[in-house]
Each structure stands twice: as structure tokens, then as C-alpha cells.
Amino acid sequence: MKNGKLRRFVLVGIAPAIVSNSVKALKQLDFEVVVIDNIVDIEKSRNLIQAVDKVVDANINDYDELRSVVLELNDEKAIYGMISFREFALLNTAKIIEELNLYGNSYKSVECCIDKLKSRDALYAGGLLSPQYTVYKDNESAIDFFRKVKGPIIIKPNNLAGSIGITKVNHEFELEEKLEEVKRQCKNSIIMLEEFVEGKEVSIESVVYRDEVYILGVTEKILYESTFIEAGHISPYQGNEMSIEEYKELVSEVVKVMGIKFGPLHIEGFHTPKGLILNDIHTRYGGDNIPIITELASGYNLNLPIFAQLANVDYELTSDTKRCSGIKFLQIKPGIIKEILGAEEVKKIEGIIDLNISCSVGDKIGDVKSNSDRHGWIIVQGNTREEVDEIFNKAFQLLDIVTY
């Protein structure tokens, strides 16, 4: 029997940077909010989901389990809307949305973004700039591709995230060894080979609201030295290669090519002399707390346009804030943590929004090989990029995580 006065909305997965504001927005629109995730992430995030009406334990990466839970919830009370901001739950969620005839992006369009090969094929067919690419078949053809693009190249698994398995090959003699490394990491995944693109890496946070693209922010990406792993992000990007209107025109083309009709977008690319070369496309907002620094810098509410459209409520995307914000992840010398100094002093610095230290005395710290090897961050807000840089410098001078 279906009952209850409030319309039911389901959030699939807890995206820490955005879940609290998502729940707040849904409550503003008079929804009953249900969150589905595994018990480990639920317990870690209790403080973020206190306002939720119902929490359900399920493996959101397992389609059959997620479908069973959602259908049971729908039988209990009709589900009005459903969305996920978690990468590994996007496909499962899209498939169930189609089955329940709810509003959202099609399974095909979400898959086109997640599957790197399909994404490259779609961008190429649409005439949009993206790296030259091929699918790994054997070592001989890989060598041919390396020579064709005149190296270096990138080897990457087709369907993994978090910078897992992404490897740069600078010299032809390294190729076979690096391919074997990636094969061990990605198991049965298709392996892609791409030309290495030299350029300033940025990400575009945008939303499709009532068939129109809105640019919410453009963020500069900072990498750990000699890796593809993000050491930080600064919003807004200070470069002048493109205007906001030009970013909007480009994202509108991406939306058309990928078949996206609604919701958040996180697009990564490289500014080069040829133009902005598109890398990855996601039907969600960025990870790494990018939604937080985007809102701090731009003043936009990233959640309300999404849920307002689903609730069929008019919403005007406006902002009167033009500031700067950034996140930098902690850089800790490998070893055993002996002591952590200066944390309380850092928190007192004007402009510090958040200090997160996810390691303790006695923990073993290794090299940063993927996003999961990072052990905390500092988020700051200032009026200018120079002010943000100054706050970061003060914070990292005070914070000392000593290892031996």
C-alpha cells in the first residue's frame, strides 16, 4: 500500500561533499528523503545525513541488490524521483530510473560518459577535440600507436576511476613493462591507449536545467609531482583562454553529442594551442570536494536547480559572489607518523574553511599512487587567488605531520 503525504525521493550513495546540501534542498522542496548505501559508508557519514527520513543498507554497486531495495521502497510508497552522485552507482541508478519511468538521463547517455571508449567515440563523431586514442590489442599495435602519435602516451583502464591504473609512457622501450603493470591492476577491463596531451588541466562544473546549460565554475587542477593524482583544485581558474560564454557553448555541444538532458556535469579537459581538448565527462559533480569550493567561489547553489526541476518548481540560477576558493591535499613524507603538530593553530587562521586529517599517530604512510592514498585536506576561501595562496602557505607552515 502506498502512503504518506510527502513525495519520496531516493539518493543512491552518500557523496560526502554534496549529500548534506542535497538533503537540505530536498527538504526545502517538501520531499521525504531516503538514502541508500552500504553500512560502512552510512556509519562514516551519520553526521552528514541526520536530516534524512530513512536510511537503507545495500550494496549500491550490485545492480540486483539495489534494484530489489528500490522496488521494495517503491512498493511501500511511490518513488517520485531518484538520483546518484556516486560514480560507481550511476549506471545502476540510471537503469532503475528507466524501469520505474522516472525523470533522468538515459542509461545509454550515462554509459557513454562512464565508458571511456564510448565517450571517445562519441566526442570524435561529434567533431569535438579529444585525445587521439586506440584500444589495446597486442604489444605490436601498441608500439605502432606510440610511433604514430610520436609519444608520450597514456595507458588507462576503460572503466576505472580515482586515477587507478593511469600510466604515462615516455619512451618506446618502457611500453611493454608499463602495459603489464596496467594489466595487473585493471584485470578484465579494456585498456585504452591515448596520446599524452600537454596543457593546463581544468574541470568544468555545470548543470543542465530545463534544457539549458549553466556554467557554475571552472576549476584549475593541481597534481602531485610526476603523477596523475590531484594534489588540489582552485576555483575559479585564472586563465583567459575561454570566456564563460565559450565554455557554455562547448558544454552545450558535449550535452548534445552525449545525449545528456538533465542534471550535473563534471567535464575535465586541457587548454592547449589547439583549443580545449576534452578528457573525461561525468553526469555528476566532481569529487575531491570540488562542489564545496565551487559554491564558496561562485555563490551558486549546486543542488537546488537539480531538485527544483525534478519537483517541477521554477528556480533562477543567480549569484552575487565572486571570490576564490581552493582545496589542497596533505603531502606527508612516507613513513610512520610520530606526531601531528599545529592542527589547532591552522583552524584559527582566517579563511580556513576546513582542515581534515584522516591519519593518526602510528599510521604507516606510503607513496601517493591513487586518490585513496591521500590522508586529508585543507579548504580555504579568500577574495582573490593571491589571498588564497597566502592562506595555504600559512597553513602548511604551521601544520607538521612528522614521520620516521
Side-chain angles (χ1 to χ4, degrees), residues 288-300:
D288 281 357
N289 290 305
I290 289 176
I292 291 174
I293 67 169
T294 299
E295 290 192 337
L296 288 170
S298 70
Y300 284 115

Side-chain angles (χ1 to χ4, degrees), residues 273-289:
K274 296 179 182 178
L276 184 64
I277 295 182
L278 298 167
N279 193 23
D280 291 341
I281 318 290
H282 303 276
T283 53
R284 57 166 174 79
Y285 289 130
D288 281 357
N289 290 305

Side-chain angles (χ1 to χ4, degrees), residues 87 90 113 260 264-268 280-285:
E87 181 75 9
L90 292 174
C113 294
I260 297 164
L265 280 171
H266 173 73
I267 298 175
E268 299 173 1
D280 291 341
I281 318 290
H282 303 276
T283 53
R284 57 166 174 79
Y285 289 130

Side-chain angles (χ1 to χ4, degrees), residues 50-67:
Q50 292 178 355
V52 167
D53 297 289
K54 187 168 187 171
V55 180
V56 181
D57 172 25
N59 180 2
I60 61 175
N61 299 335
D62 184 315
Y63 169 72
D64 292 329
E65 183 174 341
L66 178 62
R67 178 180 180 273

Side-chain angles (χ1 to χ4, degrees), residues 10 25 83 117 158 182 212 239 269 302 327 339 342 366 377 384 388 395:
V10 176
I83 198 169
L117 177 57
N158 185 45
V182 175
E212 185 173 352
L302 273 64
I327 178 171
E339 53 185 340
W377 60 73
T384 64
V388 164

